[in-house]
Amino acid sequence: MHYHQLKLAALSALSIWASAVACRDIVSASGLEARDGVNYTELATKLSKNAQIYLPGSGAFDAAVARWSNLSTPVANLVVVPSTEHDIVETVNFANQYSLPFLTTNGVHGSITTLGKMTHGIEIHLSQLSGITITPDGQTATIGGGVIAKNLTDALWAAGKQTVTGTCECVGYLGPGLGGGHGWLQGHYGLIADQFVSANVVLANGSLITVDENSELFWALKGAGHNFGIVTSMTSKIYDIQQPNYAIETLIFSGDQVEAVYEVANEQWLTNGKTMPLDLINWSYWYFDPVTDPEKPVIAMYLIQQGVDTVDTAYTQPFLNLGPISTQALSGTYRDLATWTGISLDATPCQKTGNANPRFPIYLKSYNTTAQARVYELFNQATTNASTAFSNALFMFEGYSQQAVKAIPSASTAFAYRADNLLVAPLLTYTPDGPALDARASELGNQIREILYQGSGETSLNTYVNYAYGDETPLAWYGSEVWRQDRLRALKGEVDPLGRFSFYAPIV
Ligand SMILES: Cc1cc2nc3c(=O)[nH]c(=O)nc-3n(C[C@H](O)[C@H](O)[C@H](O)COP(=O)(O)OP(=O)(O)OC[C@H]3O[C@@H](n4cnc5c(N)ncnc54)[C@H](O)[C@@H]3O)c2cc1C
Ligand SMILES: *[C@@H]1O[C@H](CO)[C@@H](O)[C@H](O)[C@H]1NC(C)=O
Ligand SMILES: *[C@@H]1O[C@H](CO)[C@@H](O)[C@H](O)[C@H]1NC(C)=O
Ligand SMILES: *[C@@H]1O[C@H](CO)[C@@H](O)[C@H](O)[C@H]1NC(C)=O
Ligand SMILES: *[C@@H]1O[C@H](CO)[C@@H](O)[C@H](O)[C@H]1NC(C)=O
Ligand SMILES: *[C@@H]1O[C@H](CO)[C@@H](O)[C@H](O)[C@H]1NC(C)=O
Ligand SMILES: *[C@@H]1O[C@H](CO)[C@@H](O)[C@H](O)[C@H]1NC(C)=O
Ligand SMILES: *[C@H]1O[C@H](CO)[C@@H](O)[C@H](O)[C@H]1NC(C)=O
């Protein structure tokens, strides 16, 4: 441990110490002994010299445990920031020895309420495992377990390469990927998880192993990965940049047109055997913007096209014919997409605001315009009622292109929802105000989702585990097929029988 790390840990009494001192001297003076009945000095002495330990009461601890969603959050007594994979092995072994729960964190955008079941223990914060190495053949890159999306995109871009990452710049690479992982390039290359080639993983018993497609565990990492281990690094496929340029057309509609807008979306892309074109991403958001419409939420439609500087009129005209309130066209490159859609590093979704941010996701095949109109009315009431806590809610409709996602056989990965076309979720952002408000959010979110589910004609609720609220079942997170559940449970029983990795959407 070094001087500045001590300072980060707010051990100010020690700040007069020389810049490099032996880890064990520092930790013995720092109150690690007999903390919560555990002598953490033993752990500190086993970690590499650049590993860090943050204690409650320090700014570094507070920064590490603060999360994007302040709802049902995990509680830790101590944060370990490993600097090598072996540090993770030591931390897991130590935690097991003292029966302490542990939880890996990276981009801290995980928001599922099951995380709140962690009430004490060790947070293993991966930010120092940030290496990105392109292999000599240029076909793959080895990506540290603590890499976030923007860093990966930028590092690859500088080498003329890219791969599928989450769209939001501040989410982890592997947090999304271990649950499948949607991104701008998925129509070309598949999900984030579809790029995985091999992984280094620390298992529940502290073993560090390397797995690839020949392993059952590797199958599970591609969609249910949070349940099985800590991925210290992943080697993933990368690609030459083919079409750097992108264009976006943003059309803002009045909520009065909710049925007409989604009728057009269906006709264009989603029904009668049609599919989303490979070069097009079509998202829409609903939100209350009193400047544009003081009475009800607007519908913002984003039409994002790859390889052009202006979105093709074949895509825009059917929507323009409906008479949007406003339109805006921009052109740039792949790296502008996050800014255009409000999910870049400086945008609100990348700040820790102290808000609760529950989502209630459902995958759909197409829009049911009747159901859209009904949920619009609920969303309208929820966001515009005079005393509402939910005026900042955002309703997200994500329509990525799907060609390469669907080309991969459904049974070949733990991700279960390749047949679905749309990822839909209300995000009920609110300032926490106790359990009664949390319950109202849960009730409203589930009510909205239930209408969409009833309108879908589906016989199982399909949800994206990475957007999940937390009250869904393992069937909803991992697919309702009996064989999927059996296969995942069998592997869980074998690799993690004590449920060490069961804070994030547990299989059992
Ligand atoms: C604004 C926003 C935008 C989003 N955009 C997308 C998107 O474009 N595509 C998409 O698919 N999803 C997206 N998501 C959802 C995203 O997949 C989840 O929020 C995900 O949990 C974020 O991972 P994280 O590393 O940021 O969060 P964390 O909370 O740090 O991690 C989430 C879970 O993953 C586990 N984990 C993280 N890293 C590792 C690792 N190396 N080994 C083992 N376990 C690990 C953690 O233990 C935790 O349980 C978005 C979410 C938000 C809030
Ligand atoms: C804590 O562990 C350290 C390192 O093993 C040891 O030197 C120290 O004596 C222990 N303290 C107590 C109170 O057991
Ligand atoms: C991401 O990149 C920024 C800027 O280079 C750097 O400060 C940060 O440490 C990186 N984060 C991770 C997790 O690699
Ligand atoms: C999170 O919400 C609680 C109330 O539930 C509040 O006391 C706390 O200050 C919030 N945290 C942050 C970081 O704002
Ligand atoms: C909004 O207000 C109306 C009228 O007061 C009420 O009927 C409705 O239940 C409220 N809706 C929500 C979601 O609070
Ligand atoms: C659409 O949703 C409505 C209301 O939820 C439902 O009655 C109807 O059957 C659904 N239509 C289809 C085609 O599933
Ligand atoms: C750890 O668990 C794995 C998976 O169950 C097993 O193969 C391995 O033998 C275990 N290692 C030890 C040291 O027990
Ligand atoms: C694309 O445009 C329209 C808006 O959403 C919209 O209705 C449709 O949903 C979008 N497509 C997809 C696929 O989301």
Side-chain angles (χ1 to χ4, degrees), residues 311-340:
V311 178
D312 199 326
T313 51
Y315 298 146
T316 55
Q317 197 58 50
F319 290 103
L320 291 171
N321 291 346
L322 298 175
I325 298 170
S326 68
T327 66
Q328 186 192 26
L330 293 168
S331 63
T333 73
Y334 179 79
R335 294 201 303 165
D336 295 314
L337 293 174
T339 301
W340 293 346

Side-chain angles (χ1 to χ4, degrees), residues 93 203-209 217 491-497:
N93 284 338
L203 301 177
N205 64 8
S207 293
L208 172 61
I209 61 170
L217 177 61
L491 186 66
K492 182 80 172 171
E494 199 183 304
V495 182
D496 185 21

Side-chain angles (χ1 to χ4, degrees), residues 36 40 54-56 61 65 73-80 101-103 118-124:
D36 317 306
Y40 285 104
Y54 303 149
L55 301 177
F61 179 91
V65 302
T73 48
V75 175
N77 304 78
L78 185 103
V79 175
V80 172
F102 56 90
L103 177 72
M118 168 136 169
T119 56
H120 67 288
I122 302 175
E123 176 177 318
I124 303 174

Side-chain angles (χ1 to χ4, degrees), residues 368 370-371 374 451 454-457:
N368 175 328
T370 313
R374 284 185 59 196
I451 291 169
Q454 294 302 333
S456 74

Side-chain angles (χ1 to χ4, degrees), residues 493-504:
E494 199 183 304
V495 182
D496 185 21
L498 301 175
R500 301 287 189 216
F501 296 108
S502 291
F503 293 119
Y504 194 90

